[in-house]
Amino acid sequence: MIIGVLNQKGGVGKTTIAINLAAAYARSGHRVLLVDADPQGSSLAWSSTREGEPLFPVVGMPKPTLHKELPSIASDYDMVIIDGSPRVSELGRAAIMASDLVVIPVQPSPYDVWASADTVQLIKEAQQFKQSLEAVFVINRKIANTAIGRDVGGALANFDLPICERSLTQRVIYAESAARGLSVLEADPESDAAREILRLAASLSKTNLKKAAA
């Protein structure tokens, strides 16, 4: 299965989600590959910071031909996670076309919701050529007990794409673990962050999604 983590807006946490999803699947015994398709190379930088043995390989492929090259590489792995590129439509299209499931991280902010329209449009275009392609919003950096945290789901319903039943909360451990080249599962396996990542990974791998309109 190939999961692309993409949003045309930067700063939504796609690298954090990609890295921690890859770690969750690797810790579950899957053979995992993380593909850094962002010219900024954030996932590669995270990997180079790490001191211990890697949980999974990380390769850089910020190429418009990603959708043509990745399938042969992906055949050696159970799960492939793509850390996609923001603001670059050609690379974004390639990452979308390479994916079986596109995860769209969205923060509970009107700016993030409005900016999601570009990513949704790219996905709708790709689905004309790849009908099996699925996509889902994942609410990231949600702040508990706030009106915007509750209302973001309703705002995303206008895009007619599913919203994952699992969301991620704003937590310092995500940044702290990244600075050490670790996932939250390694930094603190008993943390709330580790538990929510595992729940998200399980939900996505089963494509256990609910419709935004539901």
Side-chain angles (χ1 to χ4, degrees):
M1 184 178 186
I2 301 177
I3 298 177
V5 185
L6 294 122
N7 193 320
Q8 292 295 289
K9 181 180 182 300
V12 295
K14 63 181 182 56
T15 298
T16 297
I17 291 176
I19 287 169
N20 284 285
L21 280 180
Y25 293 129
R27 293 295 287 263
S28 297
H30 296 293
R31 294 172 299 167
V32 177
L33 174 68
L34 177 58
V35 176
D36 193 335
D38 187 344
Q40 293 181 353
S42 298
S43 287
L44 285 171
W46 168 84
S47 180
S48 67
T49 303
R50 186 182 182 87
E51 294 183 358
E53 289 294 318
L55 288 176
F56 47 81
V58 182
V59 298
M61 295 184 70
K63 302 178 178 181
T65 56
L66 176 64
H67 58 299
K68 297 178 181 179
E69 298 180 31
L70 187 56
S72 60
I73 300 171
S75 63
D76 293 329
Y77 297 90
D78 302 315
M79 302 292 296
V80 176
I81 311 297
I82 302 173
D83 179 10
S85 173
R87 298 185 298 276
V88 184
S89 293
E90 189 177 37
L91 296 180
R93 286 191 182 94
I96 289 169
M97 288 299 295
S99 301
D100 300 310
L101 172 66
V102 177
V103 170
I104 311 168
V106 180
Q107 297 178 113
S109 155
Y111 302 109
D112 279 42
V113 173
W114 298 332
S116 297
D118 292 337
T119 304
V120 171
Q121 181 60 36
L122 288 178
I123 290 168
K124 296 293 186 182
E125 291 173 2
Q127 286 174 330
Q128 300 299 313
F129 302 96
K130 188 176 181 179
Q131 295 182 356
S132 63
L133 176 64
E134 297 185 66
V136 60
F137 288 111
V138 169
I139 299 172
N140 187 36
R141 295 173 181 157
K142 185 176 181 179
I143 301 175
N145 302 318
T146 61
I148 188 65
R150 293 189 298 270
D151 296 343
V152 65
L156 292 173
N158 295 323
F159 292 111
D160 192 32
L161 283 180
I163 302 171
C164 186
E165 61 185 359
R166 303 298 187 181
S167 59
L168 301 180
T169 306
Q170 176 83 303
R171 302 183 193 279
V172 174
I173 190 174
Y174 285 110
E176 290 179 341
S177 60
R180 298 161 54 197
L182 300 175
S183 67
V184 294
L185 292 165
E186 298 166 284
D188 188 349
E190 301 301 322
S191 65
D192 289 336
R195 282 190 284 269
E196 69 183 11
I197 282 292
L198 289 172
R199 289 193 293 263
L200 176 62
S203 183
L204 294 176
S205 64
K206 296 174 184 176
T207 60
N208 183 20
L209 313 175
K210 64 179 180 181
K211 287 292 183 181

